[in-house]
C-alpha cells in the first residue's frame, strides 16, 4: 500500500497544476484532489475501486473529479432492462455500466461532472460534502439559488435537480459520490432512459425521476474550468488543506497496478447484467391474424430460469411452443447471441417460414 | 493390539470433541445505519449452504442510495437466511445464521470412518466423501484421505442435442446423401493473398482471408447449377428453385454450431464478402448475432480446416440440399506438367441430396469451385 501511495506522490509532484506542492504539505494536509483524464466509464469506476482499495484514508480524504463519454450508469441493485432501452443504447454507442454504490440511474456525458469523496468511515459526512458544493457554486455565482435537499439532491430554484447522490460503505472505508449537471445533453438522455421491454415485474431498486436542469441554463457564463477551480478551492477551505488539482490517467497500469482487473470486472456481462435481482416478465405477444400468445419468463442472475409460452390450441401445437421455451432456459435474457442461436437451430430443425418462426421472433423481441 | 485399539478410541473421542467445538451457530444482525437512516433492502450475495471466509461479503443492504456491505464475522457455512431477497431490515434486525468453523473437510486428523455421524451436515462444496479406509489396525492413523476411484461422468443429453440428432437422422433417411470429393491447389490464391494483403488491409480495414474465394466460387457454381441451390419441399412434393444465393457459414462455438448467413452473394466481390464475414464474426464474438442473421440460407460452407481436419464428410444442414466442406491446407507432392512439385493442397467435399442433384451435377459443381479458387480469372472471363 505505501509503495502505491509513493508512486502517486511522484505522479503528483510531476504534474502539479496551479501551485507547487512539496511532499510535506501533501502528507500533512487533510485532503488530496484528483482529476481523471479518462472519459471511459469503466476506467473511472475502476479508479474508484482502486483508490478505495489502495489509499489509506485514515490520514486524509481524497476528492476525485471525473466525467464520462455518454453512458448510462445504473445503481448496484437495479435492473438494467427496466432502467434503460438497451437496443437504443447499443445503437447510439452508449455504454451501460453498473456502479458499486446504491441509488438510481444516471445518464453521464461530458457535461456532467462526477465528484467522489473518499473518507474513512469515521469522517463519512454526505451533508458536509454537499454543503461544500453549494458553497462553491454560490462563491462563483452568488445569484444562484442552490441548496441540498433531505434526499441529498442539490436543487436549483427549489425544484430543478442538478445533482444526485449515491454511496458505498465497506468495513474500513466509505465513499460518497454525486453528479453535477453543468451542460449535459438532455435529449440524448430521454431517448435511452426507458424500459427495454414491457411486462417486467421486479423488486429491484427503482429510479425516481425528477425534473433536471443544467447549471449553464441559469449561469450561461460559467465555464467548466471555472467550476472545477471553485470546487477545488472550496474543498481545501472546507477540509483544511492546500491541495492543487492533480491530473491522473487511470489507464496507466504502472501507476495504478491492478486497475485492469477492476476494469474487466466492471465491464463484464456477469457484473452489469448478471447481478440483477431476480425478476419476472409477463406479457402478451401479438401474432398475425389478430391472435396472441402469453409469455411468462423468470430471470435469475440475468439468465432465463424458466419460460412458458401459452399459445391458442388451434394455432400451433402447445408442444411446439414448449420446445421453444425449453430452448431458452439457461440462456442470457437477451434477444441476440446464444438465445438467438438456439432459436435459429430449433427453426432449422422444425420448420422455418411458419408460425413457429413468427412466435419465436416475437418471444425474442420480448427479451431485453 | 490392545494399544492400537486404545489409540483409536482415544482419537475418536478427541476427534468428536474437536468437531463439536466447530458447531457454534451465530446470528448476524443488521449493522446500525449511518446518518439516522432507518431502514434498507437486503440483497443476498451468498445462499444457504455456501462456505464463506472471514470478512467475505454475505449480503449488501441498500439504504437510501447507499450500498452497505455486510461481511461474515468468521469463516463458516451459511445456515439460514432470515430475510428474503429485497426484504426490508432495520439496524439490529437478525439477518442470517452462520455455522462457524472450516466448511469443507480439510486435512482431517482421523480417518472419516471413525466419526461418521459428525460429518453431517456436509457442506455442498466438499468433494464426494471417499470410501472409509479398511478398519484394520495396521500402522499409524493416516493423515491424508485415501485416493478416490474415478467415477464415470453420466451426463444426460439435453433436449436440444436429442432433437438435432433426431432431425439429422431423419435427414439422412429422407435425403439420399452422398459425398463427392476433389482437391484444390491453393498456390495461386495464396500468392494473390500474399501480394495484396497489405494493400487490402489498408483500403478495407480488414484482413483478406480464403473464405471469400470459396464463398464467391460457391455462388458462381450455384448460379451455374441451380439444382444445388434448390430444395425439395417434402410436404408439397415440389422442388423449390431460388434465384438468390444466401450462403450459411458454419461457425463452431463452445455452445454448439452457429450458422450466420451472408445474403445475396451473387452480387458481391471478394472485398464485399470479406466485410460481410468480418461483420458476422464480430457479432458472433460479442454475442450480438440476431435471429435474423441466421435465417434461411440456401447453401452451407463448413470449414473443418480451422481444426486441422484433412478429410471428412460434412452433413447437410436442413432444409438445404448440399454442403461444401473445406479442410486443412497441407503441402503435398503432386504431379504438375509431368514433374513432382510440392503444392499447398486442400481436400474439398460436397455432400448432396441425390434425390435432387445427380452425380454429374455434383461433380461439375465441385469442379467449378476448384476452377475458380485455383484461378480466380475464371470469374472475370465467365468460364
Amino acid at each position: 500500500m505505501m509503495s502505491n501511495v509513493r508512486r502517486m506522490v511522484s505522479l503528483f509532484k510531476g504534474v502539479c497544476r496551479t501551485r507547487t506542492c512539496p511532499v510535506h504539505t501533501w502528507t500533512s494536509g487533510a485532503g488530496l484532489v484528483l482529476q481523471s483524464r479518462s472519459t471511459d466509464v469503466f476506467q473511472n469506476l475502476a479508479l474508484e475501486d482502486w483508490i478505495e482499495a489502495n489509499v489509506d484514508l485514515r490520514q486524509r480524504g481524497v476528492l476525485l473529479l471525473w466525467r464520462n463519454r455518454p453512458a448510462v450508469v445504473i445503481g448496484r441493485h437495479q435492473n438494467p432492462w427496466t432502467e434503460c432501452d438497451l437496443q437504443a443504447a447499443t445503437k447510439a454507442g452508449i455504454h451501460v455500466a453498473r456502479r458499486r454504490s446504491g441509488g438510481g440511474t444516471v445518464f453521464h456525458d461530458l457535461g456532467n461532472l462526477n465528484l467522489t469523496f473518499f473518507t474513512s468511515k469515521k469522517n463519512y459526512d454526505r451533508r458536509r460534502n454537499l454543503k461544500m458544493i453549494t458553497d462553491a457554486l454560490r462563491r462563483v455565482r452568488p445569484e444562484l439559488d442552490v441548496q441540498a435537499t433531505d434526499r441529498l439532491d442539490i436543487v436549483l430554484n427549489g425544484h430543478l435537480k442538478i445533482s444526485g447522490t449515491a454511496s458505498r460503505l465497506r468495513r474500513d472505508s466509505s465513499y460518497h459520490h454525486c453528479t453535477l449537471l453543468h451542460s449535459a445533453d438532455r435529449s440524448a438522455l430521454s431517448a435511452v432512459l426507458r424500459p427495454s421491454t414491457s411486462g417486467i415485474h421486479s423488486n429491484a431498486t427503482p429510479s425516481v425521476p425528477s425534473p433536471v436542469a443544467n447549471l449553464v441554463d441559469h449561469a450561461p457564463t460559467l465555464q467548466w474550468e471555472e467550476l472545477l477551480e471553485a470546487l477545488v478551492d472550496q474543498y481545501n477551505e472546507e477540509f483544511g488543506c492546500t491541495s492543487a488539482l492533480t491530473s491522473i490517467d487511470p489507464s496507466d497500469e504502472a501507476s495504478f497496478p491492478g486497475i485492469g482487473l477492476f476494469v474487466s470486472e466492471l465491464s463484464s456481462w456477469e457484473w452489469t447484467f448478471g447481478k440483477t435481482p431476480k425478476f419476472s416478465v409477463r406479457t402478451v405477444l401479438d401474432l398475425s391474424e389478430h391472435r396472441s400468445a402469453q409469455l411468462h419468463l423468470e430471470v435469475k442472475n440475468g439468465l432465463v430460469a424458466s419460460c412458458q409460452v401459452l399459445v391458442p390450441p388451434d394455432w400451433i401445437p402447445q408442444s411446439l411452443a414448449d420446445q421453444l421455451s425449453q430452448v431458452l432456459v439457461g440462456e442470457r435474457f437477451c434477444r441476440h447471441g446464444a438465445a438467438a442461436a438456439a432459436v435459429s437451430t430449433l427453426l432449422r430443425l422444425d420448420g422455418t417460414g411458419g408460425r413457429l418462426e413468427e412466435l419465436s421472433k416475437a418471444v425474442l423481441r420480448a427479451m431485453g | 493390539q490392545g494399544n492400537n485399539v486404545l489409540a483409536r478410541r482415544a482419537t475418536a473421542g478427541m476427534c468428536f470433541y474437536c468437531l463439536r467445538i466447530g458447531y457454534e451457530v451465530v446470528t448476524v444482525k443488521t449493522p446500525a445505519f449511518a446518518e439516522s437512516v432507518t431502514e434498507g433492502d437486503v440483497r443476498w450475495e451468498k445462499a444457504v449452504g455456501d462456505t464463506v471466509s472471514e470478512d467475505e461479503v454475505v449480503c449488501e443492504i441498500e439504504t437510501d442510495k447507499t450500498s452497505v456491505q455486510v461481511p461474515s464475522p468468521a469463516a463458516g457455512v451459511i445456515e439460514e437466511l432470515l430475510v428474503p431477497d429485497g426484504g426490508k431490515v432495520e439496524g439490529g434486525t437478525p439477518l442470517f445464521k452462520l455455522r462457524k468453523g472450516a466448511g469443507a473437510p480439510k486435512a482431517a486428523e482421523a480417518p472419516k470412518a471413525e466419526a461418521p455421524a459428525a460429518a453431517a451436515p456436509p457442506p455442498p462444496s466438499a468433494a464426494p466423501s471417499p470410501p472409509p479406509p479398511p478398519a484394520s489396525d495396521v500402522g499409524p492413523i493416516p493423515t491424508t484421505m485415501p485416493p478416490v476411484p474415478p467415477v464415470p461422468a453420466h451426463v444426460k443429453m439435453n433436449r436440444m442435442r436429442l432433437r438435432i440428432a433426431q432431425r439429422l437422422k431423419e435427414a439422412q433417411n429422407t435425403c439420399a446423401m452422398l459425398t463427392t470429393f476433389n482437391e484444390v491447389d491453393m498456390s495461386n490464391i495464396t500468392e494473390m493473398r500474399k501480394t495484396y494483403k497489405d494493400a487490402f488491409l489498408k483500403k478495407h480495414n480488414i484482413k483478406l482471408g480464403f473464405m471469400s474465394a470459396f464463398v464467391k466460387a460457391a455462388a458462381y457454381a450455384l448460379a451455374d447449377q441451380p439444382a444445388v441451390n434448390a430444395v425439395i419441399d417434402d410436404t408439397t412434393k415440389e422442388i423449390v428453385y431460388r434465384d438468390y444465393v444466401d450462403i450459411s457459414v458454419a461457425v463452431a462455438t463452445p455452445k454448439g454450431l452457429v450458422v450466420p448467413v451472408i445474403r445475396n452473394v451473387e452480387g458481391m466481390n471478394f472485398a464485399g464478402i470479406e466485410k460481410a464475414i468480418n461483420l458476422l464474426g464480430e457479432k458472433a464474438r460479442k454475442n450480438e448475432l440476431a435471429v435474423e442473421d441466421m435465417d434461411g440460407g440456401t447453401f452451407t460452407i463448413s470449414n473443418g480446416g480451422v481444426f486441422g481436419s484433412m478429410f471428412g464428410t460434412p452433413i447437410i444442414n436442413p432444409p438445404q440440399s448440399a454442403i461444401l466442406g473445406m479442410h486443412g491446407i497441407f503441402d503435398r507432392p503432386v504431379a504438375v506438367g509431368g514433374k513432382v512439385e510440392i503444392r499447398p493442397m486442400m481436400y474439398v467435399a460436397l455432400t448432396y441430396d441425390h434425390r435432387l442433384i445427380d452425380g454429374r451435377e455434383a461433380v461439375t459443381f465441385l469442379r467449378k469451385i476448384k476452377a475458380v479458387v485455383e484461378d480466380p480469372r475464371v470469374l472475370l472471363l465467365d468460364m
Side-chain angles (χ1 to χ4, degrees):
Chain A
M1 200 193 289
M2 271 318 291
S3 67
N4 293 332
V5 171
R6 241 183 261 124
R7 240 180 250 132
M8 271 180 67
V9 172
S10 59
L11 199 69
F12 175 91
K13 276 165 83 176
V15 291
C16 241
R17 285 247 293 250
T18 52
R19 288 185 276 242
T20 52
C21 341
V23 176
H24 73 88
T25 62
W26 176 75
T27 50
S28 64
L32 175 64
V33 183
L34 304 172
Q35 180 182 20
S36 171
R37 284 207 283 271
S38 171
T39 52
D40 178 275
V41 64
F42 301 111
Q43 275 186 359
N44 284 324
L45 289 173
L47 180 58
E48 282 186 321
D49 281 355
W50 191 94
I51 292 173
E52 197 188 19
N54 291 287
V55 177
D56 185 354
L57 298 165
R58 287 170 301 179
Q59 305 306 317
R60 86 196 56 67
V62 174
L63 171 64
L64 175 68
L65 301 172
W66 45 293
R67 61 177 170 168
N68 297 315
R69 292 187 307 277
V72 172
V73 181
I74 65 173
R76 171 69 181 83
H77 306 291
Q78 291 203 293
N79 182 323
W81 289 279
T82 51
E83 299 299 331
C84 176
D85 183 342
L86 298 167
Q87 303 297 324
T90 313
K91 248 203 200 109
I94 296 174
H95 289 302
V96 176
R98 179 189 297 272
R99 59 177 187 268
R100 307 277 191 191
S101 57
T105 298
V106 204
F107 182 79
H108 284 200
D109 73 10
L110 295 174
N112 186 355
L113 175 66
N114 292 286
L115 300 94
T116 309
F117 297 84
F118 294 91
T119 58
S120 62
K121 237 168 153 178
K122 195 166 59 99
N123 295 328
Y124 178 70
D125 187 345
R126 293 179 295 180
R127 290 194 189 282
R128 190 179 183 192
N129 297 335
L130 294 179
K131 177 178 175 294
M132 177 227 102
I133 296 173
T134 51
D135 285 348
L137 289 172
R138 272 187 229 111
R139 205 175 189 171
V140 281
R141 293 288 182 279
E143 73 276 16
L144 280 177
D145 170 14
V146 286
Q147 59 192 41
T149 67
D150 291 337
R151 289 199 72 243
L152 302 168
D153 295 333
I154 297 179
V155 290
L156 192 62
N157 300 345
H159 67 285
L160 295 169
K161 183 170 161 177
I162 57 166
S163 165
T165 267
S167 16
R168 177 151 145 103
L169 291 175
R170 302 181 76 192
R171 204 165 66 105
D172 302 315
S173 61
S174 75
Y175 66 73
H176 159 220
H177 56 198
C178 60
T179 52
L180 190 54
L181 288 174
H182 174 265
S183 48
D185 181 355
R186 302 222 305 274
S187 58
L189 188 157
S190 54
V192 291
L193 290 185
R194 52 159 197 252
S196 294
T197 183
S198 60
I200 296 184
H201 299 263
S202 140
N203 71 352
T205 311
S207 288
V208 178
S210 342
V212 294
N214 279 312
L215 279 168
V216 292
D217 294 339
H218 297 259
T221 57
L222 180 63
Q223 301 288 343
W224 182 266
E225 286 70 27
E226 198 186 343
L227 175 63
L228 256 56
E229 199 165 316
L231 288 164
V232 174
D233 289 343
Q234 196 61 38
Y235 180 81
N236 283 328
E237 190 172 308
E238 177 70 40
F239 295 96
C241 47
T242 51
S243 171
L245 189 59
T246 308
S247 173
I248 55 175
D249 179 9
S251 67
D252 180 5
E253 183 87 21
S255 304
F256 301 97
I259 198 170
L261 287 171
F262 289 129
V263 176
S264 301
E265 196 195 335
L266 287 160
S267 42
S268 71
W269 184 94
E270 286 71 22
W271 172 259
T272 312
F273 297 96
K275 287 290 184 187
T276 308
K278 75 172 194 284
F279 64 97
S280 58
V281 178
R282 262 176 261 260
T283 188
V284 170
L285 305 170
D286 289 323
L287 306 167
S288 58
E289 295 153 17
H290 307 289
R291 309 307 298 275
S292 61
Q294 283 180 46
L295 174 66
H296 178 190
L297 284 164
E298 296 288 327
V299 183
K300 201 164 176 239
N301 300 326
L303 305 174
V304 176
S306 73
C307 175
Q308 214 189 10
V309 183
L310 293 173
V311 289
D314 58 334
W315 198 70
I316 56 167
Q318 184 60 48
S319 57
L320 215 49
D322 291 343
Q323 277 188 21
L324 172 62
S325 297
Q326 277 153 20
V327 146
L328 293 170
V329 172
E331 302 301 349
R332 292 181 177 177
F333 181 67
C334 177
R335 68 180 70 167
H336 298 319
V343 164
S344 139
T345 304
L346 179 71
L347 291 177
R348 278 206 320 275
L349 299 176
D350 281 312
T352 51
R355 287 174 172 174
L356 181 62
E357 178 167 342
E358 190 192 343
L359 182 69
S360 305
K361 290 186 170 172
V363 170
L364 283 175
R365 270 195 304 275
M367 284 180 45
Chain B
Q1 173 114 32
N3 278 345
N4 280 333
V5 170
L6 261 170
R8 266 193 291 145
R9 247 201 234 131
T11 320
M14 254 168 45
C15 175
F16 187 67
Y17 177 73
C18 290
L19 284 161
R20 254 231 265 184
I21 289 283
Y23 274 3
E24 186 191 346
V25 176
V26 293
T27 300
V28 178
K29 298 201 171 106
T30 311
F33 299 135
E35 293 179 350
S36 70
V37 167
T38 47
E39 66 168 20
D41 302 330
V42 180
R43 300 286 177 193
W44 293 108
E45 290 284 312
K46 299 285 176 189
V48 172
D50 283 350
T51 304
V52 291
S53 46
E54 188 180 328
D55 277 347
E56 202 175 339
V57 176
V58 178
C59 67
E60 293 207 12
I61 301 182
E62 171 132 16
T63 78
D64 182 33
K65 311 175 191 189
T66 300
S67 190
V68 183
Q69 295 189 326
V70 181
S72 179
V77 177
I78 306 290
E79 172 108 327
E80 195 185 338
L81 302 179
L82 303 167
V83 184
D85 189 81
K88 294 215 181 303
V89 290
E90 296 176 0
T93 308
L95 273 178
F96 64 95
K97 288 193 180 160
L98 175 80
R99 179 179 294 279
K100 284 164 96 167
K106 297 197 171 101
E109 262 85 49
K112 248 184 152 186
E114 299 283 284
S125 51
S129 42
S136 70
D137 45 11
V138 186
I141 315 288
T143 51
T144 53
M145 290 299 166
V148 187
V151 178
H154 289 267
V155 177
K156 225 170 149 59
M157 268 181 87
N158 72 35
R159 281 211 163 79
M160 181 60 98
R161 271 205 125 100
L162 280 165
R163 191 76 195 89
I164 294 172
Q166 191 184 12
R167 190 68 171 84
L168 284 174
K169 214 47 203 141
E170 274 168 27
Q172 274 191 325
N173 292 338
T174 28
C175 307
M177 270 199 248
L178 293 179
T179 308
T180 178
F181 301 92
N182 215 316
E183 59 178 12
V184 179
D185 184 336
M186 300 290 285
S187 312
N188 282 341
I189 202 97
T190 307
E191 163 93 47
M192 181 183 95
R193 187 163 170 261
K194 210 160 60 166
T195 309
Y196 288 99
K197 71 177 166 78
D198 292 332
F200 189 89
L201 179 62
K202 195 151 177 230
K203 175 163 185 198
H204 299 289
N205 229 6
I206 49 166
K207 280 188 171 161
L208 175 61
F210 291 122
M211 277 306 277
S212 47
F214 282 92
V215 170
K216 188 63 186 171
Y220 187 69
L222 287 165
D224 188 60
Q225 304 276 341
V228 187
N229 199 41
V231 69
I232 293 177
D233 184 338
D234 285 297
T235 47
T236 60
K237 301 284 181 252
E238 286 174 341
I239 301 174
V240 182
Y241 288 94
R242 299 172 282 206
D243 58 4
Y244 55 90
V245 175
D246 286 353
I247 298 203
S248 314
V249 180
V251 180
T253 69
K255 286 210 134 188
L257 202 65
V258 160
V259 201
V261 180
I262 309 172
R263 306 209 185 271
N264 301 114
V265 183
E266 69 281 5
M268 289 185 177
N269 59 29
F270 281 32
I273 295 170
E274 284 294 345
K275 283 185 184 146
I277 294 176
N278 195 60
L279 184 63
L280 289 169
E282 273 294 304
K283 274 181 144 184
R285 248 190 308 280
K286 293 195 280 191
N287 270 313
E288 281 170 16
L289 277 176
V291 74
E292 292 79 17
D293 293 326
M294 298 181 276
D295 258 352
T298 58
F299 181 79
T300 302
I301 299 182
S302 145
N303 189 357
V306 294
F307 307 116
S309 97
M310 186 191 83
F311 210 75
T313 53
I315 195 161
I316 294 176
N317 180 22
Q320 297 176 357
S321 300
I323 178 170
L324 174 72
M326 291 164 60
H327 299 97
I329 303 170
F330 299 102
D331 278 344
R332 265 196 279 123
V334 292
V336 179
K339 295 211 220 29
V340 173
E341 290 190 22
I342 305 293
R343 292 291 175 94
M345 301 297 291
M346 180 199 282
Y347 284 117
V348 288
L350 180 79
T351 301
Y352 60 101
D353 182 353
H354 202 335
R355 298 175 301 163
L356 180 56
I357 304 159
D358 66 33
R360 188 188 49 84
E361 285 169 318
V363 170
T364 309
F365 179 85
L366 199 55
R367 288 192 61 174
K368 228 181 180 67
I369 291 188
K370 172 188 165 85
V372 170
V373 177
E374 285 186 346
D375 188 349
R377 295 174 299 186
V378 160
L379 287 168
L380 290 170
L381 300 169
D382 194 11
M383 304 296 291

